[in-house]
Amino acid sequence: MVKNQHYISRFYLKNFAASDSILSVIRIENGKPGSVFRFKPDGICSEKYLHEVKSRSESTYFQEGAIEDMLSQVESRLAPKYEELLGCLDDGELIGTARLVELIDCLIAFIASLVVRHPKWLGPERKKHQL
């Protein structure tokens, strides 16, 4: 099971990295820009066991890794579509309506995935549904 689970996909974060594949990050402190640091996309926007659900015994996880595996499969399908959409936008290409609709559909799925997997949403939702 993957321990460090991302709420913002690495394939998306990599688009904001410098040529050395490192991100420049500004920490928000008390609502204002604070310290600046550089980080690899692998080590940012993630939490330990973010997508795991504790079993009733609280000593193990229910279906360990199942959510992370499913999200990984979704990302594997979305990443190339996202890159294709960016390429079309960069090139100023007008693509056929059906293809554009497909790419926008994938973009909507990606945005929805970003929303539902974010810790600020997951925390309150998990508290609401605890037994």
Side-chain angles (χ1 to χ4, degrees):
M1 171 175 54
V2 176
K3 183 167 124 177
N4 192 31
Q5 300 174 346
H6 287 79
Y7 50 90
I8 298 185
S9 305
R10 286 174 287 179
F11 80 82
Y12 181 72
L13 290 170
K14 288 177 182 178
N15 286 287
F16 299 94
S19 59
D20 62 359
S21 300
I22 304 291
L23 292 163
S24 292
V25 180
I26 300 173
R27 185 180 308 277
I28 302 298
E29 298 165 352
N30 299 321
K32 296 181 181 178
S35 57
V36 177
F37 56 97
R38 292 176 44 85
F39 231 93
K40 290 183 178 181
D42 292 347
I44 197 156
C45 298
S46 63
E47 289 185 10
K48 289 181 183 175
Y49 306 110
L50 175 66
H51 303 121
E52 301 306 322
V53 177
K54 290 276 190 180
S55 65
R56 287 186 180 183
S57 70
E58 292 290 318
S59 62
T60 60
Y61 292 108
F62 178 73
Q63 294 186 349
E64 285 186 16
I67 295 171
E68 184 70 12
D69 290 346
M70 184 271 314
L71 288 171
S72 179
Q73 291 173 18
V74 169
E75 287 176 6
S76 293
R77 288 192 306 269
L78 290 177
K81 305 285 186 189
Y82 180 74
E83 293 300 322
E84 183 180 347
L85 180 59
L86 290 180
C88 289
L89 293 171
D90 286 344
D91 296 340
E93 288 181 19
L94 294 175
I95 53 180
T97 305
R99 188 73 183 134
L100 182 59
V101 168
E102 179 186 350
L103 293 175
I104 290 172
D105 195 37
C106 287
L107 182 61
I108 291 167
F110 173 62
I111 292 168
S113 126
L114 289 176
V115 171
V116 299
R117 67 198 293 184
H118 196 282
K120 289 192 179 202
W121 185 86
L122 286 174
E125 280 301 308
R126 285 185 174 154
K127 286 179 185 166
K128 265 197 300 192
H129 298 290
Q130 284 180 342
L131 298 175

